[in-house]
Amino acid sequence: MSLEDEILRQRLTRTREIEALGFPPYGHRFDYSHTIPEILAQWAETPAEELDRQPVRVRVAGRIQTIRRMGKAGFAHLQQNGERLQIYVRRDTTPEADFTLYKKLLDIGDIIGVEGRLFRTRTGELSVWVEKLYFLAKTLLNMPEKWHGLEDVETRYRQRYLDLIANPEVRRIFITRSRIVASLRRQLEQRGFIEVETPMMQPIYGGATARPFVTHHNALDIDLYLRIAPELYLKRLVVGGLERVYEINRNFRNEGISTQHNPEFTMLEFYQAYADYNVLMDFSCELLERTAVDATGSSRVVYQGQELDFSRVQRYRLREALIEFWPGGDKPRPENLADPDWLNRHSTKPTPGEQLMEIFEEKIEDRLVQPTIIYEYPVETSPLSKTKPGDPAFVERFEIYAAGMEIANAYTELNDPQEQRRRFEAQLELRARGDEEAHQMDEDYLRAMCYGLPPTAGEGIGIDRLAMVLTNSKSIREVILFPLLRPEPPLGLAERLRAAEKETGG
RNA sequence: GAGCCGGUAGCUCAGCAGGUAGAGCAUCUGCCUUUUAAGCAGAGGGUCCUGGGUUCGAGUCCCAGCCGGCUCACCA
């Protein structure tokens, strides 16, 4: 018999023995007096004599992390909310059944409750002297090892619950991520933005350049696309008079998976009527600094050994950044950036704007380690942005970079329906030439715009990437609880459970 | 999609000169009333990712495949 099946049988047998002792093997409600972190915080400094003189009674619950049994007494560590508290069980100060439960039937990973008083051991560790035990849930499978935790990356992602139990830093990452989202929501709400939800299944996908996932609705017999961006719906709402809206939700892009890309990822998009991209640049700086402080306690965070300072976000025009951050000696001069010969030497793209962007992405992007705003983008690559007055080759758009990654994209929204129609038509030509990612014509969006979209600025912030930067994570999969993986082959677990139940007389 | 690296006990890993498969933790039995990587004595546990091939003999060498990681390409 394999070890796993042997353990399964042992533990099922124990489950019955626990029941025979008078404990429900899967308990019900347990009202604890404190969480383990609360106990550790509240009595961290209390000396042993004071705990003895004025006993503190507590009821706590947790998962057994370690267990050390001696003949007539023993210790265990309970884990709750990422922290652990030691318990002490003695034969002469615990009911007989409770001691038997502790001595014979508990396994690492079981969830129990205890009642008792706080004391300090000889070595000074704050512990609970147990007077009563409660059994709350049995673990039927072996837990990961206690020193190294769980390191196999695939198992960590597939069985994230084990990762969270075994690796406290993983728990911290997701708590930080939650704080980031909470901070962004709070700040937007404070400024009068309202949160909305727009379709994730869309008949026409738009708002970004990407390949979509396709699905089918049976009753209507239509194909729908999982959204690649919420942008066009959010701007319809601005037309409708919801002048400050935001949405935090998933986008889906049917493209490669990498340390910076997951097929579904979380985006904050917000739109502010009567503003332009300059307003959003200032707002973004405040937003990011505040978020960094709320999530990590500081506006300066360390990412892969480098300190990033969110209190001083630098700003460069795209064309300035090309010169400023150019790697190596052949630094371009301002006039080069408008010179077709120079552009052709450095890029194979067909238009000057696309060439500029390609060169930027290739040479500059990964050098933007400090939080940096890059602004004024070529019109060709920005079909939904408003052009710069007096310079129609460029649009009022900016992106924010940090740790060499794009984490935000924003612009003054194009609100002239005729101009928008022409941009869509240009995209259709690209599509006709085989560019699967070119935007589709969205006539309903055009119709909304024909009713009048106020001057508006909008921005999207990639929550996963921001979380990477603020949690010092090298891979996007470290900040997504369940990143997309190829499905596992069948486990056969149901079969094994059934066999074990039969054999142990269930 | 391409290149590099990896897949051995539940977990973390060793084994490479091709010769019957190992350690620590975990598990089981016994002892132990302040331990904490508890300790001591004993025991069990393996489709060495899969399938072919070379060989008297393959965890080890060769080929193909599967799964994963990293880098690159596309993208946010």
Side-chain angles (χ1 to χ4, degrees), chain A residues 333-361:
Chain A
R333 301 192 308 177
E335 57 269 30
N336 292 144
L337 303 179
D339 171 13
D341 289 338
W342 187 89
L343 290 171
N344 283 328
R345 274 206 306 281
H346 289 87
S347 168
T348 55
K349 295 280 183 184
T351 67
E354 289 169 282
Q355 289 175 319
L356 223 44
M357 282 301 289
E358 188 181 56
I359 298 165
F360 172 79
E361 281 162 13

Side-chain angles (χ1 to χ4, degrees), chain A residues 158-297:
Chain A
R158 284 199 197 282
Q159 296 179 258
R160 183 68 91 178
Y161 44 91
L162 279 185
D163 192 27
L164 286 162
I165 292 167
N167 300 317
E169 66 281 7
V170 171
R171 179 190 176 86
R172 284 195 289 276
I173 285 174
F174 288 103
I175 289 172
T176 302
R177 179 177 171 131
S178 168
R179 287 207 192 110
I180 291 168
V181 174
S183 172
L184 290 167
R185 276 211 169 90
R186 192 179 321 121
Q187 295 183 72
L188 287 158
E189 297 287 337
Q190 273 167 4
R191 288 171 164 86
F193 285 82
I194 64 161
E195 182 167 11
V196 296
E197 290 167 279
T198 64
M200 298 233 185
M201 296 195 293
Q202 305 178 344
I204 295 173
Y205 59 94
T209 51
R211 283 151 62 192
F213 289 91
V214 191
T215 186
H216 188 80
H217 187 270
N218 291 338
L220 295 179
D221 191 24
I222 50 169
D223 281 341
L224 291 164
Y225 302 99
L226 299 189
R227 76 179 187 195
I228 58 173
E231 170 156 355
L232 301 184
Y233 283 92
L234 290 170
K235 283 192 278 192
R236 284 171 171 94
L237 297 178
V238 178
V239 170
L242 300 180
E243 293 182 352
R244 294 186 179 200
V245 290
Y246 74 99
E247 177 163 9
I248 298 177
N249 224 318
R250 235 66 66 78
N251 290 345
F252 306 87
R253 300 192 184 172
N254 204 340
E255 305 193 338
I257 293 174
S258 80
T259 48
Q260 292 174 36
H261 301 86
N262 194 61
E264 55 177 313
F265 63 102
T266 302
M267 189 87 144
L268 159 66
E269 280 203 17
F270 58 93
Y271 290 83
Q272 178 172 343
Y274 308 110
D276 72 357
Y277 77 143
N278 286 305
V279 172
L280 290 193
M281 279 194 238
D282 295 340
F283 179 28
S284 299
C285 292
E286 289 173 42
L287 201 59
L288 288 180
E289 181 177 1
R290 186 75 242 164
T291 303
V293 171
D294 287 346
T296 71

Side-chain angles (χ1 to χ4, degrees), chain A residues 297-358:
Chain A
S298 170
S299 59
R300 290 205 285 270
V301 302
V302 174
Y303 186 79
Q304 305 298 313
Q306 298 199 68
E307 188 178 271
L308 311 187
D309 188 349
F310 281 93
S311 70
R312 45 188 79 226
V313 178
Q314 315 168 69
R315 302 186 193 191
Y316 296 93
R317 285 189 175 79
L318 179 72
R319 286 165 288 184
E320 293 168 350
L322 275 162
I323 295 165
E324 180 72 26
F325 293 94
W326 190 266
D330 50 345
K331 198 179 269 264
R333 301 192 308 177
E335 57 269 30
N336 292 144
L337 303 179
D339 171 13
D341 289 338
W342 187 89
L343 290 171
N344 283 328
R345 274 206 306 281
H346 289 87
S347 168
T348 55
K349 295 280 183 184
T351 67
E354 289 169 282
Q355 289 175 319
L356 223 44
M357 282 301 289
E358 188 181 56

